[in-house]
Amino acid sequence: MHEAGFLMQAFVFLAAAVIAVPIAARLGLGSVLGYLCAGAVIGPFALGLIGQDIEEVMYFAEFGVVMMLFLVGLELDPSKLWRMRVPIVGMGGLQVVITSAVIAGIALVYLDNWQHAVVVGMVLSLSSTAIVLQTLNEKGLMKNDSGQSAFAVLLFQDIAVIPMLAVLPLLAVAEVGTYSDKHNLPGYQSALMVLGVVIGIVVVGRWLSRSVFRIIAETRLREMFTATALFLVVGIALLMEHIGLSPALGTFVAGVVLANSEYRHELEAEVEPFKGLLLALFFISVGASIDFALLMENPWPILAMVGGLVLVKLVILLVLGKAFGLSSRSNAIFTFSLAQAGEFAFVLFSFASAQDVLPPYIIDPLTLVVALSMALTPLLFVINERLVLPRLRGAKASERPHDAIKQPEGKAILVGFGRFGQIVGRLLRMNGFEITVLEHDAAQVDLVRNFGHKVYYGDAARMDLLETAGIEDVDLLVLAIDDHQRMLKTIHQVKRHHPDIKILARAAGRREAAELIHAGADHIERETFDSALSMGRMALSLMGFRAYQAQRAAQLFKHHDKKSLYALSEVIEDDKKYLTVAKQHATDLEKVLKSDDQANTELDDRGWDSGS
């Protein structure tokens, strides 16, 4: 009966995710909000489909956070941490300290003593690493200034949990001798135990990990590597839990220790699938843990606390982002992404309860506030994207002013000077053509200037900048950036004002290429098409084709694929027609290649072969 109950609960969780997440994604709300809504609906405080033992489910689901922080730690080798030291310590440290102080000051008005206020301030200063990183990754914002700043703050917060756990026992209001942790240790001894275990993980991890993983790798059994990775994560989590600490923090430290290991990528590959599934379970559990009964009993105080918490964090983050030089748009994304409480609040509140630091009448409503603020995060992203960012479109993309272009050069403008644009630009310049190069990434501009390249900083999506660069006098515009939407916008603007200019554009894939052609690009080049075609030609040679056969097959493929692209561009706005045309052209191309192969089997093409 117990097994049947477990299977039914698993079925309910999976069904809720399968139904809710696609709906949320279709509405543009993201998967996280879908998971949270699904959990709220099936939880014990709504439909009650998963019973009343949500704490047991949450306990299991928290392993998603454990896995995620282990993977975050694996990405953070000491050299990367050192490069990010300013945003981590500066921005992250100030956020935690200032937010803790402000919330503690507000809490002191309503609570009995300063110890309770300090604990509440520390716990609520943290943000949700799980929700924020998941959402930023889904939206492709992790590599932007906003994503990197948010990651730095979250990283400091995750590290800050260690000293918080060490300090909490010292803030217990109970009389000496009433400590309730399983080891019955005074506060200072608990703090020393925390530091000792963390140091032990670091030392033992560096000493044993390489030898152990080498032995496991020699077995050449993938399932053994998977078992070892899970053994490591679960073992450290159990150790941390045994001494009353956060399992997630222990695995994060272990990840950092193993960041320089030659087996880091194998560990990431083995743990990643478990992380995704367990994180989904964690989000559903957070939604299910929302106590609607408590909310209905005290709706206005609870909602006021949620609103107050979000508002305080918004103001502090906005000021910090401005102080650290984030642009208006980046600062808006950074601010709205971190304006919630985090999953570590559940861990810290549980630890505070065990150590007699906070009484239940404080923990219960604040746990609900944390869950509601986390559930509110995807909506904050939506508000930012649909209401705030559109108002900032007229603002500069960066606080750094665009470079003044006093004397435009040549008859061509190249937009984008990254790994793709540099090849185009260098080829043109080395063959005697003068070009004006624009690049919207300030860091890239500074980097390439160190190598002697003349590049101007500016956003080519702005028509006024293109006018300054001499767009009315050039014959050619080359778009080599990797921002598809920005290229579409630029093509529309240029073709509207200067229809005679020839435009070459870089495309990420087949559909993007068709969209660029439809927008007005005269010629497109897909990033990986020619290299993939070259590899395909080599594959044909290695499979027995003569050199001429392989070359002719590749050229036929390229010719018909180009014709197909222009046909697809005409139906790009109709998905049904697009699919029909794509299928028909694929069938036609296969027939052409087969008939051409049969016609040339008798041809003597030895002159194409190496060594002839």
Side-chain angles (χ1 to χ4, degrees), residues 264-458:
R264 175 170 68 89
H265 296 296
E266 286 85 351
L267 285 169
E268 287 179 328
E270 300 305 330
V271 173
E272 182 72 34
F274 297 96
K275 182 213 75 170
L277 185 60
L278 289 171
L279 264 183
L281 182 59
F282 171 75
F283 295 139
I284 294 176
S285 302
V286 170
S289 68
I290 298 176
D291 190 342
F292 290 102
L294 181 58
L295 180 60
M296 291 300 102
E297 290 176 10
N298 305 282
W300 299 117
I302 298 293
L303 294 177
M305 283 191 282
V306 174
L309 173 64
V310 171
L311 182 61
V312 166
K313 287 198 162 188
L314 282 173
V315 172
I316 294 172
L317 291 164
L318 187 65
V319 173
L320 277 177
K322 191 74 173 176
F324 278 82
L326 291 180
S327 68
S328 299
R329 291 176 60 80
S330 294
N331 199 15
I333 297 170
F334 166 74
T335 299
F336 277 86
S337 65
L338 296 175
Q340 77 289 111
E343 56 275 348
F344 277 124
F346 301 119
V347 177
L348 291 170
F349 279 142
S350 176
F351 188 67
S353 176
Q355 296 288 330
D356 294 330
V357 178
L358 287 179
Y361 73 86
I362 294 178
I363 291 177
D364 291 344
L366 287 183
T367 300
L368 178 57
V369 168
V370 169
L372 288 173
S373 72
M374 291 172 69
L376 193 62
T377 303
L379 291 177
L380 290 176
F381 272 96
V382 173
I383 291 171
N384 183 45
E385 291 172 351
R386 299 186 180 179
L387 299 179
V388 178
L389 291 181
R391 298 176 181 272
L392 299 175
R393 291 191 191 280
K396 292 181 180 180
S398 172
E399 297 302 324
R400 172 173 170 172
H402 289 164
D403 291 336
I405 307 174
K406 296 180 181 179
Q407 185 62 45
E409 303 171 31
K411 290 293 184 178
I413 295 176
L414 171 62
V415 179
F417 209 65
R419 58 183 174 82
F420 192 96
Q422 286 182 40
I423 295 174
V424 179
R426 290 169 62 194
L427 185 62
L428 287 171
R429 282 177 170 168
M430 288 177 180
N431 283 276
F433 293 97
E434 294 294 330
I435 59 174
T436 301
V437 181
L438 303 177
E439 169 60 56
H440 69 275
D441 186 333
Q444 181 69 8
V445 171
D446 294 336
L447 175 64
V448 297
R449 281 178 178 173
N450 291 332
F451 292 90
H453 296 291
K454 190 173 183 179
V455 181
Y456 295 101
Y457 171 69

Side-chain angles (χ1 to χ4, degrees), residues 184-203:
N184 198 30
L185 296 176
Y188 75 93
Q189 290 186 18
S190 293
L192 290 175
M193 184 172 63
V194 170
L195 296 176
V197 169
V198 171
I199 293 172
I201 290 175
V202 173
V203 173

